[in-house]
């Protein structure tokens, strides 16, 4: 596992330790993390702060050219909302920790020529499976079910 996915997992653990949903993300530009985030819907009472959205928010305003040179790492397959943000800002590559517990809008990303790498990392899978088993209502709220 590379350091960027490890950083995304660390973010997911922060979210879990805060009483939230364990999904983390980092935005990487030219080999450097420029934005970190984790799902903070519970902590902030937010409807949009998924891990990817939090990482983008924490990166701050960037130029379109910067986004086009970024890689987004996320512990879980991006939902339609996060996929929309990836497409809106033209992020060309996404590395996904796992898509076994939740399959996001990967086909939409592929259809828009976003390069995807799915690691199916055992740590990511186990973390989400345990969370979903322990907190099914909170998980269903997070994915809109």
């Amino acid at each position: 596992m590379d350091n960027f996915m490890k950083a995304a997992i660390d973010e997911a653990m922060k979210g879990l330790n805060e009483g939230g949903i364990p999904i983390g993300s980092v935005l990487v530009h030219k080999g450097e993390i420029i934005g970190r985030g984790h799902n903070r819907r519970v902590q902030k009472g937010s409807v949009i702060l998924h891990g990817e959205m939090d990482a983008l928010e924490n990166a701050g305003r960037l130029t379109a050219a910067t986004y086009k040179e970024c890689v987004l790492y996320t512990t879980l397959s991006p939902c339609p909302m996060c996929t929309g943000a990836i497409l809106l800002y033209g992020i060309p590559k996404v590395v996904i920790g796992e898509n076994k517990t939740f399959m996001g809008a990967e086909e939409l990303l592929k259809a828009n020529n976003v390069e995807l790498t799915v690691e199916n990392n055992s740590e990511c899978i186990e973390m989400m499976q345990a969370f979903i088993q322990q907190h099914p209502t909170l998980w269903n709220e997070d994915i809109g079910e």
Side-chain angles (χ1 to χ4, degrees):
M1 171 177 24
D2 67 34
N3 287 334
F4 300 130
M5 185 55 69
K6 179 162 179 9
I9 291 170
D10 289 346
E11 285 292 325
M13 292 305 297
K14 281 184 194 174
L16 185 63
N17 292 334
E18 294 169 357
I21 298 162
I23 302 168
S25 184
V26 294
L27 184 65
V28 177
H29 180 255
K30 295 185 176 181
E32 249 181 78
I33 295 174
I34 60 170
R36 297 173 181 268
H38 53 274
N39 187 305
R40 295 191 304 155
R41 289 185 66 255
V42 173
Q43 301 91 312
K44 296 286 188 180
S46 170
V47 298
I48 61 166
L49 279 181
H50 282 190
E52 300 91 336
M53 302 296 274
D54 193 41
L56 289 168
E57 179 71 11
N58 290 331
R61 288 177 59 194
L62 302 170
T63 66
T66 302
Y67 288 115
K68 288 177 180 13
E69 297 173 335
C70 285
V71 179
L72 184 73
Y73 288 74
T74 180
T75 59
L76 187 65
S77 185
C79 76
M81 175 179 67
C82 296
T83 293
I86 291 163
L87 296 176
L88 176 66
Y89 292 110
I91 297 169
K93 182 174 181 178
V94 178
V95 179
I96 299 167
E98 68 106 344
N99 64 5
K100 298 293 185 196
T101 57
F102 175 77
M103 173 60 76
E106 291 180 24
E107 290 304 317
L108 182 56
L109 290 168
K110 289 177 191 171
N112 283 276
N113 300 314
V114 175
E115 180 186 339
L116 298 183
T117 300
V118 180
E119 294 184 352
N120 281 320
N121 175 291
S122 60
E123 192 173 351
C124 293
I125 294 168
E126 290 163 17
M127 183 169 44
M128 282 311 302
Q129 285 178 341
F131 180 82
I132 293 167
Q133 186 175 16
Q134 294 166 10
H135 305 282
T137 304
L138 186 54
W139 170 243
N140 288 334
E141 173 193 323
D142 194 65
I143 59 169
E145 288 188 8

